[in-house]
Amino acid sequence: MAAKAGLPADFEWGFATAAYQIEGAVAEDGRGKSIWDTFCHLEPTRTKGADGDVACNHYHRFEEDFDLLTRYGAKAYRFSISWSRLIPLGGRDDPVNEAGIAFYNRLIDALLKRGITPWVTLYHWDLPQGLHDRYGGWLDVEESQKDFERYARLCYERFGDRVKNWITLNEPWIQSIFGYSTGGNAPGRSSTNEQSAEGDSTTEPWIVGKALIMSHARAVAAYNQDFRDTQQGQIGISLNGDFYEPWDPEDERDHAAAERRMQFHIGWFANPIFLKEDYPACMREQLGARLPAFTADDFTVLRAAETDFYGMNYYTSQFARHRDGPPSPTDYVGHVDELQQDKAGTPVGEESGLHWLRSCPGMFRKHLTRVHALYGKPVYVTENGCPCPGEDEMTRDEAVDDPFRIRYFDTHLDAVCKSVKEDGADIKGYFAWSLLDNLEWSDGYGPRFGVTFTDYDTLERTPKKSALLLKSMFAQRQGIEVVG
Ligand code: PNW
């Protein structure tokens, strides 16, 4: 036990999900449509024929799902609220749907009854379609931040007596780039994707990025001004981003490429939000005026938005190689090649069940330590997990035996321990992605990230072995005795 110990007894841990990936019940109790409802029903399909109409039917089965959390020993649970369940049309002057409020009240109370701490994400990519139709959604920086602030305030007012952990946005990078540059995610706008008729990949992702940064800031400023004293909670944001090492460790230009790639992933959002300064210099240099500026008024809002923690969504790492010549106007990675092996041919990590995800625990440790050092806030790992190789083709009985996932969790938890114990980083919690196999966005129901197997014909849930082991993996590292 002592060999593994390293995490404090109050280390927060549990499982994470997102509304559209699990809830279903998209037309029930007054819910309005989101951009993902629209995107999943486009023809020809851009989501492998999949949609979230039923998903895991968590809307009607949450009690059963929370019994699983109890069985797994989870202390905390991260879920997201569907904006269009609370405000079907989304806007600050649009009506509130009391049935939507009641659903999340039941959800929160069902967690508290089991002694599980709710962690609430306000926005996990499901913008109300009404706002997209009304003014272009996130493309309107001024309107969208006002509507998001009002939605956030509604959540604090109605749920903040019981919810003390808030995450404003999930992965603004994915929302901006996949939604408005490559067009792989809703709303699917792109000038480089032949399935997309609308969009401008040279400008729109950078406008949307600013809208998301300002929306985060307005939501945090509102919490700080009007709710923090009475509710005593904390608020953060979940940013994705891989760790990068130079493809050729002998080449200074590849060292610079790796650093630049991470700035394009994380610094884009973390500089304005945590450092309260402009975007990273390398982004300004490459993108020029296409990167919208922050005004003096914007900085006033950013400074009022002291954010409590950095939520880290981490899955994998890569190598970066510098590119010669001028960057393409549609480049969003900082003019680098991204590779899964280095110059010597050494792979970055073991292959999982998804092409973009390799298991790289050593680089996870570096990533944790780097992010903590750069942005100076406590870090909660708000997502980490993987599908096992071949899992999408397996039967239930095969899939519940998941040694690859067990090893992934075990080695990644070791990385957390080392970052805490040896590098001195302040890492306070960890959420495994995900509680259930669920809708993996444009990849449909193929990749299985769950610790619980979902049978999509019957919706029956079956725990995988990894689900039942996490409790002892944490206890071991926290120096807690586990009985049974
Ligand atoms: C995250 N990539 O998305 C999301 O927050 C989850 O909703 C999702 O299910 C999970 O990770 C697994 O994919 C990502 O291509 C999607 O690097 C794609 C990437 C990273 C994160």
Side-chain angles (χ1 to χ4, degrees):
M1 185 191 297
K4 291 256 183 213
L7 299 183
D10 65 350
F11 193 82
E12 187 84 314
W13 75 271
F15 301 89
T17 62
Y20 191 67
Q21 293 179 274
I22 64 168
E23 282 182 1
V26 291
E28 284 181 52
D29 298 334
R31 176 184 177 278
K33 276 193 167 39
S34 84
I35 55 174
W36 270 96
D37 294 287
T38 308
F39 191 68
C40 285
H41 288 281
L42 291 177
E43 286 183 25
T45 183
R46 293 167 72 170
T47 55
K48 309 212 157 111
D51 60 60
D53 291 3
V54 178
C56 301
N57 198 17
H58 176 74
Y59 192 81
H60 294 291
R61 301 179 71 137
F62 67 86
E63 292 279 358
E64 171 188 351
D65 292 337
F66 294 170
D67 285 345
L68 290 173
L69 287 176
T70 300
R71 197 168 151 197
Y72 302 164
K75 291 165 66 170
Y77 172 63
R78 173 182 175 227
F79 65 96
S80 80
I81 291 180
S82 156
W83 183 345
S84 61
R85 272 196 205 285
L86 299 196
I87 310 171
L89 292 171
R92 55 199 180 278
D93 299 317
D94 293 323
V96 170
N97 175 31
E98 289 299 330
I101 302 267
F103 169 65
Y104 290 107
N105 274 328
R106 292 199 297 278
L107 212 70
I108 291 161
D109 292 341
L111 289 168
L112 294 175
K113 191 180 77 192
R114 290 169 173 82
I116 297 167
T117 306
W119 282 66
V120 174
T121 310
L122 294 175
Y123 182 75
H124 201 122
W125 306 350
D126 45 357
L127 184 79
Q129 182 66 36
L131 300 185
H132 186 82
D133 295 341
R134 189 175 291 161
Y135 52 71
W138 296 120
L139 288 168
D140 190 324
V141 175
E142 294 305 319
E143 287 298 309
S144 60
Q145 59 181 286
K146 288 181 191 150
D147 285 342
F148 186 73
E149 178 184 337
R150 190 284 183 130
Y151 161 59
R153 283 179 176 275
L154 178 68
C155 292
Y156 309 148
E157 281 162 13
R158 301 303 191 90
F159 310 127
D161 56 333
R162 288 151 296 153
V163 172
K164 305 298 172 187
N165 302 282
W166 297 100
I167 295 165
T168 53
L169 307 174
N170 182 71
E171 301 187 352
W173 190 93
I174 297 270
Q175 173 65 93
S176 308
I177 297 298
F178 288 15
Y180 298 82
S181 179
T182 67
N185 276 9
R189 295 176 62 86
S190 173
S191 52
T192 60
N193 180 331
E194 56 188 39
Q195 280 190 289
S196 179
E198 294 180 320
D200 180 350
S201 304
T202 69
T203 53
E204 290 188 2
W206 314 115
I207 295 166
V208 168
K210 181 178 176 189
L212 293 167
I213 291 163
M214 295 311 301
S215 293
H216 163 84
R218 302 241 336 201
V220 174
Y223 192 77
N224 291 347
Q225 279 152 22
D226 296 331
F227 298 90
R228 183 179 292 276
D229 284 352
T230 49
Q231 299 189 350
Q232 304 270 314
Q234 57 171 350
I235 186 161
I237 182 167
S238 288
L239 301 182
N240 66 296
D242 302 352
F243 189 78
Y244 289 81
E245 289 202 345
W247 177 74
D248 178 357
E250 310 280 293
D251 191 333
E252 277 313 312
R253 291 169 303 176
D254 287 358
H255 282 269
E259 178 58 27
R260 199 163 62 242
R261 179 68 190 92
M262 292 191 275
Q263 293 296 345
F264 268 73
H265 240 149
I266 291 175
W268 178 9
F269 301 98
N271 278 27
I273 289 170
F274 291 104
L275 307 180
K276 298 164 173 56
E277 58 182 47
D278 194 25
Y279 307 102
C282 63
M283 292 187 74
R284 185 58 78 198
E285 198 179 310
Q286 180 177 321
L287 302 167
R290 285 189 283 128
L291 202 52
F294 294 108
T295 64
D297 285 349
D298 292 336
F299 274 114
T300 304
V301 179
L302 288 168
R303 277 192 295 267
E306 190 61 33
T307 301
D308 297 297
F309 64 89
Y310 182 108
M312 177 189 288
N313 290 2
Y314 171 87
Y315 290 92
T316 197
S317 297
Q318 301 185 67
F319 295 108
R321 184 171 63 199
H322 75 281
R323 299 180 82 157
D324 297 317
S328 151
T330 55
D331 176 88
Y332 53 81
V333 295
H335 199 42
V336 309
D337 291 321
E338 305 180 275
L339 299 142
Q340 291 185 323
Q341 49 179 27
D342 66 8
K343 191 182 179 190
T346 310
V348 72
E350 243 185 300
E351 277 178 60
S352 73
L354 265 178
H355 65 92
W356 58 264
L357 200 167
R358 286 176 179 248
S359 176
C360 317
M363 285 155 88
F364 180 38
R365 171 186 171 177
K366 292 182 188 178
H367 193 54
L368 287 160
T369 302
R370 174 183 184 273
V371 160
H372 177 256
L374 276 180
Y375 308 115
K377 291 291 177 183
V379 175
Y380 289 86
V381 178
T382 43
E383 288 182 22
N384 181 237
C386 66
C388 302
E391 192 173 359
D392 51 340
E393 303 290 332
M394 290 181 192
T395 63
R396 180 191 68 179
D397 290 351
E398 291 164 348
V400 295
D401 186 16
D402 57 345
F404 185 92
R405 180 175 290 105
I406 292 169
R407 205 164 57 246
Y408 183 96
F409 285 145
D410 200 42
T411 53
H412 283 73
L413 291 181
D414 278 343
V416 173
C417 285
K418 284 184 183 145
S419 177
V420 170
K421 212 163 49 162
E422 295 172 34
D423 307 340
D426 187 14
I427 318 294
K428 292 176 107 68
Y430 177 100
F431 292 84
W433 184 270
S434 178
L435 175 62
L436 302 168
D437 294 335
N438 58 46
L439 175 66
E440 182 52 19
W441 306 108
S442 58
D443 279 332
Y445 290 99
R448 292 178 175 273
F449 273 90
V451 297
T452 309
F453 180 89
T454 306
D455 179 327
Y456 293 113
D457 294 325
T458 63
L459 294 185
E460 190 191 346
R461 282 88 155 123
T462 311
K464 302 180 191 175
K465 283 187 183 160
S466 59
L468 301 160
L469 282 175
L470 272 168
K471 183 182 180 186
S472 59
M473 289 189 196
F474 281 102
Q476 232 182 6
R477 290 170 173 87
Q478 294 176 285
I480 299 168
E481 205 86 47
V482 212
V483 193

